[in-house]
């Protein structure tokens, strides 16, 4: 269950102070021993936590008896990837790394104002990578199409007990509308997935690989419509807006 508990108190304070939480509905996923829960409550947040490990609940209930009684805290026992989520505006969580991707996209689909989330360093760097960075890929595009992502802090294994084998990163996520309206989000998601599944191929060859999905005629038409300078690029060179433009052209051809 990825139970590496944060023990670095200055990191806890930094995470809790990244966005103003006083009087706001804050969802915390995986409270563990409650170190972050405590910091959020002391800043006046109305905290709704989801914890999978039932054995951690008695300790949390003892530690936060007053806040539970007053309604400032609610503890939900369940899997944050599946359970019905309570109302929230802000998410603050030291996420279980095994379900980082699933939870992040669930949260983005649900909608929120801002999130301060901890990830495995490599995963977080992929989220914030820009075109031409070696880490730029499907995760960067699918996240940055729908949100701004900023680094807050990188944390070494020693910040946790027991220490994990990997470094961690805290990022702030602020959802926004895509820079260009997306005609069909499914087509966009498939195009990004397919082009990055052959990241060494040019866009021309990557698109050819999509004939089995969208048919020969639509893909050939798309390739004929696009400028050569776009077709000769590799997916890691395309901007967020380029992927939307490409998918909008494809959507128009298959409509
Ligand atoms: N927030 C605490 C801290 O910073 O010390 C604990 C963080 S620990 C990395 C991850 C926490 O998520 C653990 O308490 C674990 O039991 C919980 N967890 C793991 N999988 C979960 C899931 N699917 N849904 C909700 N909580 C989960």
């Amino acid at each position: 269950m990825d139970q590496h508990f944060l023990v670095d108190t200055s990191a806890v304070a930094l995470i809790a102070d990244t966005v103003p939480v006083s009087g706001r509905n804050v969802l915390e996923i995986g409270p563990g021993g409650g170190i972050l829960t405590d910091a959020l409550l002391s800043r006046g947040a109305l905290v709704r936590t989801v914890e999978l490990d039932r054995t951690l609940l008695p300790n949390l209930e003892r530690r936060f008896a007053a806040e539970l009684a007053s309604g400032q805290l609610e503890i939900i026992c369940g899997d944050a990837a599946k359970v019905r989520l309570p109302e929230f505006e802000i998410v603050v969580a030291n996420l279980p790394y095994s379900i980082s991707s699933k939870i992040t996209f669930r949260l983005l689909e649900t909608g929120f104002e801002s999130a301060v989330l901890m990830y495995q360093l490599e995963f977080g760097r992929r989220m914030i990578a820009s075109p031409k960075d070696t880490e730029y890929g499907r995760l960067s595009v699918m996240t940055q199409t729908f949100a701004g992502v900023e680094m807050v802090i990188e944390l070494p294994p020693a910040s946790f007990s027991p220490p994990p084998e990997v470094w961690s990163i805290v990022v702030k996520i602020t959802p926004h509308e895509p820079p260009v309206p997306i005609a069909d989000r499914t087509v966009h998601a498939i195009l990004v997935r397919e082009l990055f599944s052959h990241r060494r191929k040019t866009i021309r060859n990557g698109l050819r690989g999509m004939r089995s999905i969208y048919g020969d005629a639509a893909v050939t038409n798309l390739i004929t419509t696009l400028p050569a300078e776009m077709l000769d690029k590799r997916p890691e060179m395309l901007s967020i807006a380029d992927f939307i433009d490409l998918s909008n052209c494809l959507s128009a051809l298959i409509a």
Side-chain angles (χ1 to χ4, degrees), residues 43-255:
R43 285 161 177 76
L46 305 168
V47 183
R48 309 287 168 252
T49 63
V50 181
E51 174 56 64
L52 180 62
D53 185 355
R54 206 165 266 291
T55 67
L56 298 172
L57 300 192
N59 174 53
L60 290 168
E61 283 161 4
R62 251 191 323 274
R63 182 169 180 182
F64 301 115
E67 291 84 356
L68 282 165
S70 71
Q72 193 190 354
L73 173 66
E74 184 190 346
I75 302 174
I76 298 158
C77 185
D79 180 348
K82 295 183 190 150
V83 86
R84 187 165 176 273
L85 295 174
E87 297 266 303
F88 62 93
E89 294 140 354
I90 293 167
V91 193
V92 179
N94 173 358
L95 288 176
Y97 295 155
S98 52
I99 51 167
S100 296
S101 179
K102 217 172 179 181
I103 289 197
T104 304
F105 286 104
R106 179 169 195 211
L107 293 172
L108 282 169
E109 261 169 43
T110 310
F112 55 86
E113 201 177 289
S114 53
V116 185
L117 301 177
M118 192 184 297
Y119 296 101
Q120 188 173 328
L121 180 60
E122 195 229 352
F123 186 93
R125 281 196 179 157
R126 286 198 278 133
M127 286 179 91
I128 57 183
S130 305
K132 298 194 186 120
D133 289 349
T134 45
E135 293 101 340
Y136 186 70
R138 182 182 172 201
L139 180 66
S140 331
V141 174
M142 292 312 292
T143 311
Q144 293 170 36
T145 299
F146 302 105
V149 194
E150 298 159 59
M151 209 257 289
V152 177
I153 190 174
E154 294 183 356
L155 293 170
S159 301
F160 303 85
S161 175
E165 283 177 9
V166 292
W167 275 61
S168 301
I169 185 170
V170 179
V171 302
K172 179 179 165 192
I173 302 180
T174 314
H176 57 49
E177 285 300 313
V180 183
I182 301 177
D184 184 324
R185 288 191 178 200
T186 307
V187 172
H188 174 261
I190 291 174
L191 180 106
V192 174
R193 183 192 70 200
E194 290 299 310
L195 292 183
F196 276 113
S197 67
H198 309 284
R199 57 182 301 135
R200 302 307 303 155
K201 284 190 181 171
T202 60
I203 299 301
R204 180 184 290 101
N205 288 335
L207 290 174
R208 282 185 182 139
M210 291 177 67
R211 285 179 294 201
S212 58
I213 306 173
Y214 291 114
D216 205 18
V219 171
T220 305
N221 275 344
L222 178 61
I223 291 174
T224 318
T225 323
L226 296 170
E229 68 196 59
M230 161 78 85
L231 292 167
D232 291 338
K233 284 183 178 171
R234 295 215 166 91
E236 71 231 29
M237 296 160 83
L238 299 192
S239 68
I240 303 297
D242 287 336
F243 279 103
I244 301 176
D245 288 342
L246 258 181
S247 82
N248 285 351
C249 287
L250 179 57
S251 298
L253 289 167
I254 60 176

Side-chain angles (χ1 to χ4, degrees), residues 27-42:
L27 172 68
E28 190 201 1
I29 297 164
I35 193 166
L36 204 47
T37 321
D38 194 24
L40 294 167
L41 290 168
S42 68

